Amino acid sequence: MKLDITTSEPRKLSAASRAGPCPQAEDDDGAAKYLYELSRDAILFLDRTGKILCINPCGIQLSGYSAEELRGANIFDLLLLPEDHSAVRQMLQDAVKGRARECEVRWRTNDGAIVHFAGASVPRFSASGEFLSTLCTLRDVTEGKRAEEALRESEERYRVLVEFSPNSICVHRDGKLLYVNPAGVRLFGATDLAELVGRSVLDFIHPDSLPVVRERLRRLRAGGTAPLIEERFVTLNGDVRDVEVTAIPITYENGPAAQVIIRDITERKQGEEKLRASEQVARGQVEALTYSLDVLATAPAPDKFLGQMLSTIGRLLKAQSVILWLLDEANDSLVLRAAAQGTNFAAADPAHPFIRNPLLWKKDKVLQETVFTGAPVICEDVEDDPRVSSAIREYFKSKGTKKYLTIPTLVGGRVKGFIGIRHEARPRYRPEEIELAQALAHQAMLAIQLNEFAEQSRQAAILEERNRMARDIHDTLAQGFTGVIVQLEAVEDAIACCRRKEANEHLRRASELARQSLNEARRSVHALRPQALQRGNFWEALKGIVKNTTAGTTLHTRFELRGKLRELPLVWEENLLHIGQEALTNALKYARPRNFETRLICNTKELRLELRDDGGGFKINGRHDGFGLAGMRERVEQMGGQLKVTSSRGKGTKVIVTLPYNHESVL
């Protein structure tokens, strides 16, 4: 704030007016002294240099200093803000010349506060015309200044909010536009405000929305508030946009008007459609992979399982056909393993170029890229893609195929074949579709591996490895995708309530859980340690998995560690982690609990893991006592411990694992 010292013209005082009463003069008038003492304004006398000659009680109180500290002190050194020095010096110079002034000054008090004053200065002269002092009367206007500053700041914030708001804000009176902010100018399709002022808002409303808008205008004229609704909006260039509109009555330039806030939701609606599409693909992943787990655990006929996997790919990706080819390393040729036509398992076409000549794939650059890179390869245009061999191009064209996708099947990081997925005309392949195809290709190859293990030998070691793989896959994918289902259900709820940000967050968690579970399954195939255990012990890993699976849901989780956790054998940590996951999965799939509690008790003799839920419970050895509980028992027996599962209808489930320490288990 700048010091205002010239709000009125300086006035030359007459000789009679120069001799005002001074409280320090022995002959001062008693009424003047009384006014000096009781005034609510600060009154002080200054010499020509700014030294305080005397100051009244109000001035002393407002300064925060004592009378002794003030009397004789220079106002420039003790009270005035540096920014006001030059103006006050000018005021003192005018006083010496006999000029009275109105002024605004600021003090910094003893405790550091700033006080704003509005007042006047009057020079005092002796009877002989000698300058005596400058009399200043100052009124505290701090609260008023603060109110003015607050009002200016509020107005500035409102101006910035309106000018830089991403939403369109306009003001109209009786339907005629008076003002439109920059975002609104862009939404209307104009180049500047002048194109819009004076136009009727009805000029920009789609015919479908006109009845609703006319009713809103009627309500606004009557002084009412129009609630938030969706409308269809037409820009100057004819584009139709979906918008959300709310309107409130205001006073604008001395007259009643309405302020309207318009939010373009066209992109949001498109985003919601994409979100729903992504959710459908994610659900397809869960459906297909859950099926693969069930058939892996029950060891069905390999051909039936492969056919189902290929049919599932065909159904989810709406493909013409899906074929699994394997590489015969002995002669470097292709071998047809399984095929599906549309959504049905079927025999491959004998006229297919690769069936007629199994070595022909070497001339096709798409397949060479697939085999040598170990990554999916997309052909978006069969007719013009130079990588496609002439034989495959002519065959695909005869079948109406416009584009196709090849997914490599890998074992131990080596390409063992590929899955070819053909399509007629369709949009470009989405990343989530490719990821789905990769996941199912992995499951198909896993089934082939398991079958080869069983056929090669009936030895106990092979059977044990097969069981381990099936159990580990169940304990990673089945449990992980239960968490995916929980998050996808939360997505549906969020979409239904138009909470897009929350829906995106749940979908992100679902995607992350799916990737983590697939990675864990791959690690299991290679007999590697679970990734969650790479960063710490099983207790921290288990807590992380439980929290990540249930994040954003209504399930309340609780963790308790009693005693000090020892360093455990790797097999113990893996088994305990999977047992915890299985208990959580069973609770989410069957029990629908409100609470899930995980407790680990460690003492000098044993380790005890307790997992409890307050869900619906089940009958032990009933239909739920399947592969999951059997896997738990196998893992506990492998560690030389005891497993106790107690449950009853309506009373929840408790799983207790007790592991006694021995020489081998304590590292």
Side-chain angles (χ1 to χ4, degrees), residues 449-459 462-463 466:
Q449 279 187 280
L450 293 175
N451 185 59
E452 290 176 352
F453 286 153
E455 292 179 354
Q456 288 172 2
S457 174
R458 295 295 180 181
Q459 298 176 14
I462 299 297
L463 292 177
R466 182 184 186 280

Side-chain angles (χ1 to χ4, degrees), residues 382 493 531:
V382 168
D493 293 339
Q531 189 173 15

Side-chain angles (χ1 to χ4, degrees), residues 253-311:
E253 294 183 353
N254 301 321
Q259 176 175 291
V260 180
I261 302 174
I262 307 171
R263 185 156 64 99
D264 189 348
I265 59 173
T266 305
E267 293 184 1
R268 189 193 76 185
K269 287 197 169 185
Q270 293 173 349
E272 288 175 353
E273 292 174 358
K274 291 180 180 179
L275 186 62
R276 290 190 180 94
S278 297
E279 188 222 352
Q280 290 175 355
V281 173
R283 279 193 171 277
Q285 294 184 13
V286 174
E287 174 190 339
L289 292 171
T290 301
Y291 172 81
S292 71
L293 293 171
D294 292 339
V295 295
L296 278 173
T298 55
D303 287 345
K304 180 180 179 182
F305 171 70
L306 290 174
Q308 182 64 41
M309 283 291 96
L310 299 185
S311 297

